[in-house]
Amino acid sequence: MLLRFTKMHGLGNDFMVVDCLTQNIHFSPEKIRQLSNRKRGIGFDQLLLVEAPDNPDADFRYRIYNADGSVAEQCGNGARCFARFVYEKKLCFKKTIRVQVMNKIISLTINDHGHVNVDMGEPVFSPQAVPFRQSEQTDGIYSLTLKERTLDISVLSIGNPHAVICFDNLSSDQPLWQTDLVEIISPEIQQHPDFPEQCNVGFYEIISPDKINLRVYERGVGETMACGSGACAAMAAAFMKKQVGESVQVHLKGGMLTIDWKGPGHSLYMTGPASRVFEGHIKI
């Protein structure tokens, strides 16, 4: 069959978006790996599927697959692209839509400047929710022993699992944007037995109470230009340590996201751009 798709990105975190409302298609892990290959396929970090919901409170269902074919529970940059896709394709005429992801419903709003605001829900710091195999700590900071170092990390769920490290506490003779520690340490953390389902790994650097720099090594993908849920996790971790205020600009390699959170008991909101790259057809 000839499959219609749209290539999109959120700050360089790129996606193949497929309308499964009007097309009947099954993607095997092998097929996803073929399509995600940047030399022999379309090339993307995640595949996003637009489907009909099975929850009456939602307008759509949002299914996410990583480049390696594995399932992802959440993708913040993808959520913004999802909202722009369904609006531009006239699959929905609402500016605010409710979307069913694997384990919850999220709200997406397209604002007047073309950016999309995503209600990511409340960050969950319980180790069981991640999951993470250590006893809960009152300060939310855990010690993780790797091959050559022991790190203090924050562990939380933004609908998907995150380990967050404050780069300021690492001994590095290189700045965050140039250091090779991200590529060295992240796979060790992801595959640590305390993370039975692996995790996304973020390294953040405090610039001011309303600005941080961030690099994210995503589960099933590797380092990406940007990670929306990773930006949310980093802001929440820094907020809980009283390093930042309630509104933070998170600067990633691909650009900037604004994260707003008032703390426990409140939803966290992410705002940023979503860009269409091209429309295409591919024979499946």
Side-chain angles (χ1 to χ4, degrees):
M1 66 172 289
L2 198 61
L3 177 72
R4 303 187 310 276
F5 70 91
T6 301
K7 183 70 183 288
M8 304 188 74
H9 78 88
L11 302 181
N13 187 192
D14 62 338
F15 311 99
M16 176 183 177
V17 189
V18 177
D19 172 9
C20 293
L21 297 170
T22 60
Q23 302 177 104
N24 186 14
I25 179 70
H26 169 73
F27 292 93
S28 67
E30 179 183 14
K31 178 57 68 176
I32 293 170
R33 289 191 292 270
Q34 291 173 355
L35 292 170
S36 70
N37 187 292
R38 296 189 183 276
K39 295 185 181 295
R40 297 179 180 274
I42 294 166
F44 53 80
D45 292 323
Q46 277 95 17
L47 168 68
L48 311 182
L49 305 183
V50 180
E51 299 179 338
D54 52 32
N55 187 321
D57 294 328
D59 298 300
F60 298 96
R61 182 166 62 178
Y62 167 37
R63 199 184 298 272
I64 313 155
Y65 293 93
N66 294 316
D68 66 356
S70 61
V71 175
E73 301 95 334
Q74 177 63 286
C75 178
N77 287 326
R80 299 197 313 278
C81 290
F82 186 104
R84 178 167 178 179
F85 178 88
V86 299
Y87 188 75
E88 290 187 346
K89 293 293 184 181
K90 296 181 171 52
L91 298 175
C92 184
F93 295 95
K94 302 176 183 177
K95 283 293 188 77
T96 296
I97 60 173
R98 290 172 58 79
V99 177
Q100 176 187 350
V101 293
M102 181 179 290
N103 51 12
K104 63 181 180 180
I105 292 177
I106 60 175
S107 178
L108 316 176
T109 301
I110 300 174
N111 66 28
D112 293 336
H113 302 289
H115 282 204
V116 180
N117 177 271
V118 183
D119 179 350
M120 298 290 287
E122 182 179 355
V124 180
F125 287 86
S126 165
Q128 292 78 19
V130 175
F132 181 60
R133 289 174 173 159
Q134 287 194 25
S135 300
E136 187 163 358
Q137 302 296 311
T138 55
D139 61 1
I141 308 300
Y142 300 85
S143 179
L144 195 72
T145 301
L146 306 178
K147 293 177 182 176
E148 297 182 0
R149 69 189 76 225
T150 297
L151 298 176
D152 288 335
I153 64 173
S154 297
V155 176
L156 65 154
S157 172
I158 307 288
N160 57 352
H162 289 269
V164 182
I165 300 97
C166 183
F167 184 74
D168 308 63
N169 296 334
L170 292 179
S171 298
S172 175
D173 55 3
Q174 295 178 309
L176 174 63
W177 298 122
Q178 281 78 47
T179 184
D180 57 2
L181 284 176
V182 172
E183 291 85 356
I184 294 171
I185 296 175
S186 297
E188 284 192 68
I189 297 173
Q190 283 188 339
Q191 297 160 22
H192 195 283
D194 283 352
F195 289 101
E197 298 179 11
Q198 299 193 0
C199 63
N200 302 289
V201 184
F203 296 80
Y204 72 91
E205 176 182 51
I206 300 294
I207 305 303
S208 68
D210 62 357
K211 187 179 298 183
I212 66 174
N213 292 332
L214 176 68
R215 289 175 65 182
V216 181
Y217 196 94
E218 292 195 53
R219 181 182 55 169
V221 181
E223 185 174 6
T224 57
M225 294 291 290
C227 177
S229 63
C232 297
M235 183 278 183
F239 180 90
M240 294 297 284
K241 291 191 280 188
K242 296 181 170 51
Q243 295 174 312
V244 297
E246 294 182 357
S247 184
V248 178
Q249 292 182 352
V250 180
H251 292 261
L252 304 112
K253 284 187 173 182
M256 188 268 290
L257 294 171
T258 300
I259 311 298
D260 295 286
W261 189 43
K262 294 182 179 180
H266 299 274
S267 284
L268 180 149
Y269 296 88
M270 171 189 62
T271 304
S275 303
R276 179 168 55 86
V277 183
F278 63 85
E279 303 287 334
H281 296 78
I282 190 168
K283 190 173 182 179
I284 298 293

